[in-house]
Amino acid sequence: MNFLKRLLGIEPVKEVTDEYGNEIGKFMPRPEKPVDEEFMLNFKKNGGKFLYCENVNELRLNFSEILKENNWTNCEVYCSKPSISEDFEHTQLTFNKNLEACFFLSDCEFLISNTGAILVSSSQMGDKKLVDLPLNFIIIAKTSQLIKTIGEGLQRINKNHDRNLPTNITTIKTFDENKDSDFMSYGSTPKNLYLLLLEDL
C-alpha cells in the first residue's frame, strides 16, 4: 500500500541526509556512527551508567560523587591492581580482595562500541569469574580503549601481550538486573556498573 501511494505521488519519498544535510541515495550505505557515540548509545541501552571525565581531577570528583550517591564512602573495595588503588588512597576506602566488598574497582581491556560491552580478562579479575565478584562495579577506562568489535579487541590483546596472553577473557554487557534478557545476553551476569571514561586523545 505504501509503495502504491508513493508510485501515485500520494505519499512523498522521504529524503535521507547525512549530518551536513547532503542527500544520500537510497542504495548508498548509511554513514556509520562514530565509535564513541555508538558505544555510549549501546552501553546506556544495556543499562550502564556513564560519566565522561576530561581530566584526572574530574575523574576523582565523579568517583567521589558515586561513593556519596551509594553510601560507599567508608566501605571495603575489591581491587586487584595496586596502581588503581593508589590513585584513591586519599579516600576512606579499604582496598582488599574480599569478595563481600561493596564494589569491584578496576580498569578494563577495551570498550566494544557495536555491543556496548566492556572487555575484561584475568588482568583485571585474576582467576575469579564475573559471577564471583561483587554486584557493583566501577570501571575506569580511557577514550583510546574504544574499539568497534570484540574481534578487534582480541586481536589487540594478542598483539599487546605477545606470548603472555591473559586468560579468562570475557565481556560485561548486562548492567541492569531488571532488564529483559535476550538470546545474546543469555548466561551473562548482570552488574550494577559505573563507567568513568577519561579523555586521553
Side-chain angles (χ1 to χ4, degrees), residues 92-153:
Q92 297 175 339
L93 298 170
T94 304
F95 296 94
N96 55 38
K97 291 186 182 179
N98 179 4
L99 292 172
E100 301 300 316
C102 292
F103 65 92
F104 174 68
L105 175 65
S106 183
D107 58 3
C108 66
E109 296 289 343
F110 294 103
L111 305 172
I112 313 298
S113 73
N114 71 341
T115 60
I118 297 176
L119 187 64
V120 291
S121 72
S122 56
S123 297
Q124 289 79 38
M125 302 186 301
D127 60 352
K128 300 292 184 287
K129 295 178 181 175
L130 279 178
V131 71
D132 299 326
L133 295 169
L135 168 67
N136 304 303
F137 274 44
I138 299 179
I139 299 291
I140 298 168
K142 297 176 179 175
T143 50
S144 58
Q145 291 175 282
L146 284 160
I147 57 172
K148 183 75 176 171
T149 65
I150 191 169
E152 186 182 343

Side-chain angles (χ1 to χ4, degrees), residues 10-166:
I10 299 169
E11 185 179 285
V13 177
K14 292 180 182 176
E15 290 183 356
V16 180
T17 58
D18 63 16
E19 59 186 308
Y20 305 108
N22 300 320
E23 186 179 346
I24 300 171
K26 63 179 179 179
F27 298 111
M28 292 293 290
R30 298 293 181 260
E32 288 188 9
K33 285 187 177 77
V35 175
D36 54 351
E37 184 183 333
E38 182 181 45
F39 174 78
M40 278 192 297
L41 290 170
N42 288 326
F43 179 75
K44 287 183 177 180
K45 196 187 298 179
N46 292 343
K49 301 173 189 78
F50 172 86
L51 293 163
Y52 173 76
C53 311
E54 286 189 355
N55 52 53
V56 174
N57 288 336
E58 198 170 314
L59 185 143
R60 288 182 175 173
L61 179 65
N62 286 331
F63 183 80
S64 297
E65 290 301 316
I66 293 170
L67 299 184
K68 287 178 192 172
E69 180 183 313
N70 294 281
N71 199 23
W72 292 340
T73 48
N74 294 301
C75 72
E76 289 188 358
V77 181
Y78 188 106
C79 185
S80 59
K81 287 195 168 182
S83 59
I84 295 175
S85 57
E86 285 166 10
D87 289 339
F88 300 101
E89 282 181 344
H90 63 284
T91 65
Q92 297 175 339
L93 298 170
T94 304
F95 296 94
N96 55 38
K97 291 186 182 179
N98 179 4
L99 292 172
E100 301 300 316
C102 292
F103 65 92
F104 174 68
L105 175 65
S106 183
D107 58 3
C108 66
E109 296 289 343
F110 294 103
L111 305 172
I112 313 298
S113 73
N114 71 341
T115 60
I118 297 176
L119 187 64
V120 291
S121 72
S122 56
S123 297
Q124 289 79 38
M125 302 186 301
D127 60 352
K128 300 292 184 287
K129 295 178 181 175
L130 279 178
V131 71
D132 299 326
L133 295 169
L135 168 67
N136 304 303
F137 274 44
I138 299 179
I139 299 291
I140 298 168
K142 297 176 179 175
T143 50
S144 58
Q145 291 175 282
L146 284 160
I147 57 172
K148 183 75 176 171
T149 65
I150 191 169
E152 186 182 343
L154 295 174
Q155 285 177 350
R156 290 204 194 183
I157 287 173
N158 192 35
K159 184 178 178 183
N160 293 345
H161 293 278
D162 197 24
R163 294 183 182 178
N164 299 317
L165 284 174

